[in-house]
Amino acid sequence: MEKLKKAEALLVRLEGATLVTLLTVMMVMAFLQVAARQFFGTGLLWGDTFLRHLVLWVGFLGAALATADEKNFAFEALQTGLSGKPRARAALALAAQLCGAAVGALLTRASWIYLLAEHEEAKALFTAGGFEVPAWAFAVILPLGFLLVTLHSLIKAAEAAAKLR
């Protein structure tokens, strides 16, 4: 169980660093877009599309971090009466995390199928400096994000199951 916790801690650090990087890129890009429009009357044609897709990345990474911190599925109403019953709380946490993992796995599969279809179409999301950026390159966060949520849910389910022993 200790190795699993260390692996998750490493994953959380990686997700957090990626999230901070993306948020920084978003802030700089948004500032540049506003400044370019204000001073030059135009911005980067692909800038708004790029920012919209980065919002998806930030949202999915945030969801993964929320799952790692057990802040994604709250059963507060059920858990308030269980404050003195750690086994019941662990059983409820196990059930919630297993449900989250099952939904995450289904969504990972569905989004993977979507990503494959996007890759086959090979349509460009935008063109930047003569370089066409394919739509699938940004859509990859869909299965990746759901997979991260699923992994964190399974790890939290394992921790809850260990408390039941």
Side-chain angles (χ1 to χ4, degrees), residues 73-135:
F73 299 110
F75 287 88
E76 298 296 328
L78 294 173
Q79 289 185 347
T80 53
L82 300 175
S83 60
K85 302 174 183 172
R87 285 185 56 80
R89 286 178 72 89
L92 185 61
L94 176 61
Q97 294 300 345
L98 287 175
C99 285
V103 170
L106 289 171
L107 290 171
T108 300
R109 184 178 186 283
S111 59
W112 179 254
I113 292 168
Y114 169 77
L115 180 66
L116 291 177
E118 281 291 314
H119 189 268
E120 279 183 23
E121 285 185 34
K123 60 183 176 185
L125 184 62
F126 58 83
T127 303
F131 178 71
E132 287 190 350
V133 177

Side-chain angles (χ1 to χ4, degrees), residues 6-18:
K6 284 183 181 180
E8 185 182 34
L10 178 65
L11 183 59
V12 164
R13 282 196 303 275
L14 181 64
E15 290 166 349
T18 305

Side-chain angles (χ1 to χ4, degrees), residues 4 12 20 26 40 52 69 71 73 107 109 116-117 147 161:
L4 192 59
V12 164
V20 168
M26 287 175 66
F40 303 112
R52 274 195 306 268
D69 202 24
K71 302 289 186 199
F73 299 110
L107 290 171
R109 184 178 186 283
L116 291 177
L147 180 63

Side-chain angles (χ1 to χ4, degrees), residues 1 10 17 19 26-27 33 50 55 59 63 65-66 68 72-73 75 81 98 102 107 113 115 125 138-139 155 157-158:
M1 183 59 68
L10 178 65
L19 187 61
M26 287 175 66
M27 288 189 300
Q33 280 289 85
F50 179 70
V55 168
L65 288 171
N72 60 336
F73 299 110
F75 287 88
L98 287 175
L107 290 171
I113 292 168
L115 180 66
L125 184 62
F138 280 92
I155 291 168

Side-chain angles (χ1 to χ4, degrees), residues 139-152:
V140 75
I141 191 57
L142 298 171
L144 179 62
F146 286 126
L147 180 63
L148 289 170
V149 168
T150 302
L151 287 174
H152 286 299

